[in-house]
Amino acid sequence: MEAAEKLQKIIDAHDNLVFFGGAGVSTESGIPDFRSVDGLYHQHYEYPPETILSHSFFMRNPEGFYKFYHDKMLALDAEPNAAHRKLAELERAGKLKAVITQNIDGLHQKAGSRKVLELHGSVHRNYCMKCHQFYDAWYIKNAPGVPRCETCGGMIKPDVVLYEESLDQNVLQESVLAISRAQVLIVGGTSLVVYPAAGLLRYFQGEALVVINKGATSADRNADLLIQEPIGQVLGQIIVR
């Protein structure tokens, strides 16, 4: 039986699915990931991305941070692909209970998903560090250099989790609850090397673990169904009944 057919049978047989995804979900929308051959780690900047996207670098060199952030993190014209759209369709049908994502691009919401738990925050939320005034992503995109608050002049920080920062505890707790209650956990487009996010899989006690990723992951040996193909290509074949 083809892998997509096996996945179809699993989805048809259950009504409590949870999706856990990473950068590979958005690469088919033209957003680069970090670790692939042409990902951000293989592009040349004065500092490695992991350094630039750290809290200490942001505070020490906001100009350098925002130059990289503008160039590589604000893909505001990107559109949802077949994976985003199918997950939203599964939610509307009452089968998918939550999307847990490591991505910060907002494409799940753009596709129509409503229950999206963003482990690493979102480029679409930005706040003044002094007065906490909210700014959207387009304000950041259009601001020259370091974005400043129109009200108080304070520096604006994206609501994304930088290296050296902790994940939001409420989002973590909601994610743990969703995974622990799920009958089926579909893990897609993630190499499962970023912690603590990847550690959430240990809370799954359900009936079927599905892993869809082009490369190998640490969860492969535990998967009830392993599909090593692009996730949009796989989920695009699923019929929501």
Side-chain angles (χ1 to χ4, degrees), residues 80 84-85 87-89 91-92 99 106-116:
H84 298 107
R85 292 193 297 271
L87 291 167
E89 190 180 346
E91 184 187 44
R92 285 194 298 272
V99 167
L107 289 180
H108 285 294
Q109 291 93 329
K110 200 171 185 179
S113 289
R114 297 172 68 86
K115 182 67 170 180
V116 182

Side-chain angles (χ1 to χ4, degrees), residues 62-78:
E63 294 85 1
F65 171 88
Y66 269 112
K67 184 178 188 310
F68 181 88
Y69 189 79
H70 277 123
D71 288 349
K72 296 296 176 185
M73 312 303 285
L74 287 177
L76 302 185
D77 293 322

